Amino acid sequence: MIESLVVTLREGIEAALVVGIILAYLKRTGKIGLNRYVYIGVGAAVVASILGAVLFTAFDIEADNEIFEGTMFLIAGIFVGSMVLWMRKTAKNMKQTMETKLGRIVETTGDFKKQGWGLLAFTFFMIFREGIETVLFLSALSLGEAPVMGWVGGLAGIAMAVLFAYFFINGSVKINLAKFFNVTSLILMILVIRLFAGAAHEFSEVNLIPMNPTVMYFLGLIVRDSSSAIISMILLTLPIVMVLLDNSNKSQTDINSIKDPIARRKALAKMQQEKNWKYAVVGAAMAINLVLGWDLVEALAKPTIDPMPETVTAQNGQVAISVDSLNDGLIHKYVYRANGTDVKFLLIKREDGSIGSGLDACEICGPQGYYQEEENKANIICKNCNAPIAIPTIGFPGGCNPVAVEAQVNGDNVVLAAAQLADKGVPVYNKKAN
């Protein structure tokens, strides 16, 4: 239950926060008429996510394939970036019309309907970006050992994200306008960086854009799960700071100076209501940060599998490894001395009994190597860029997959040609040495 709660909360909190910022922004500018476009975008994204999940399942398409995810990251990044520019543009006009409650801000920056459709498209992609994976995840819970509790946790995570957005919308209404724009713009720009980094990382994995190990390393720092959790916690901490440092409300002294008792009681009630909304924002953000922080600590404490390479030699031009030694289905590493260079390679037995083989290096990141997480044996993970590599794809070229080397099962042994290890491995490991 807790795991499913964390997964859906982590998937939904960024979208909920961004949608909350937009709705709060529209409320601040007095243009709640545009809210309906946001709600339509949310509804359309939910329906599209369900339909997309059905189609992906029917046609056996992986929702987390690199091209799909990269495209979603890129589109969402463009939309969030354009939203920051739009908010900044209207904010400049806002300072000139503060006394009139910003009556014509939206109209002065473009056609009302065009902006509405832009908000709809923006909201749609922010929700749809993670929607399909979330729906598939919730569907998979039905096959688990405790499907009811899994569903409860998953839906609770979504509810927490939505609840935070609701608190944020109402808790930020009276916050100092300049502070509101500065903080929300910072939140969105951090998200833009993460989205574009995610797009670049996904596209580079399938060789759609050229990349080098250094850039992939820094992209990996941004997109890896632990970093994403930290970024989400930062995004949630900024509203807390914004609320706690806000001093735009009337003070108790100002209210006590109101002579009319009825007006004074109303002012007191309003002040208390505004405080309650702010407390709700802070409380919700802190609660979510505690959940994400707990998950982060758990993730960092998870044991990994990264065995020391076993030294092997060739006989009659072949390197032979016992098949039985691979029966655990875990990653096994070896080192073969070829032409004065240590060439490291890995073997792993797939669920269907076939053998995945490759160098402990990839074409993009070089000889950094791979490891496994003890609780996630479906993938190996690149040490440099944190790209997960599905075990069935080991032995196939491209992206951040291990450099492919051919291995054949011959009786009780897995056999690799020594010449192949030398031809493919020496250039890779010599490059590291140089």
Side-chain angles (χ1 to χ4, degrees), residues 296-307 330-331 371-377 379 381:
L296 176 62
V297 172
E298 288 280 307
L300 294 176
K302 287 181 180 178
T304 60
I305 301 169
D306 185 19
L330 302 177
I331 187 173
Y371 69 94
Q372 270 183 304
E373 293 177 337
E374 199 168 90
E375 296 183 6
N376 179 18
K377 298 175 183 177
N379 303 308
I381 300 172

Side-chain angles (χ1 to χ4, degrees), residues 55-89:
L55 292 175
F56 275 44
T57 302
F59 292 99
D60 198 25
I61 301 173
E62 292 290 336
D64 58 352
N65 73 78
E66 291 84 354
I67 294 177
F68 176 78
E69 284 203 332
T71 302
M72 289 294 101
F73 276 129
L74 180 61
I75 293 174
I78 292 172
F79 270 107
V80 176
S82 63
M83 191 60 58
V84 174
L85 296 177
W86 180 65
M87 289 174 64
R88 281 294 181 184
K89 185 177 180 181

Side-chain angles (χ1 to χ4, degrees), residues 135-156:
V135 173
L136 289 172
F137 171 77
L138 290 174
S139 300
L141 293 177
S142 304
L143 305 176
E145 296 180 359
V148 175
M149 296 305 294
W151 267 89
V152 170
L155 294 176

Side-chain angles (χ1 to χ4, degrees), residues 318-384:
Q318 293 183 327
V319 175
I321 310 292
S322 171
V323 173
D324 290 342
S325 66
L326 307 175
N327 286 338
D328 56 11
L330 302 177
I331 187 173
H332 291 260
K333 297 186 177 185
Y334 308 89
V335 58
Y336 169 68
R337 188 76 173 174
N339 301 329
T341 300
D342 287 336
V343 175
K344 298 177 183 178
F345 65 97
L346 59 86
L347 298 174
I348 192 165
K349 193 172 185 178
R350 304 187 184 102
E351 289 186 355
D352 62 1
S354 62
I355 304 298
S357 57
L359 297 182
D360 194 22
C362 80
E363 294 178 359
I364 300 175
C365 294
Q368 304 297 330
Y370 302 86
Y371 69 94
Q372 270 183 304
E373 293 177 337
E374 199 168 90
E375 296 183 6
N376 179 18
K377 298 175 183 177
N379 303 308
I380 61 173
I381 300 172
C382 176
K383 292 181 181 179
N384 186 60

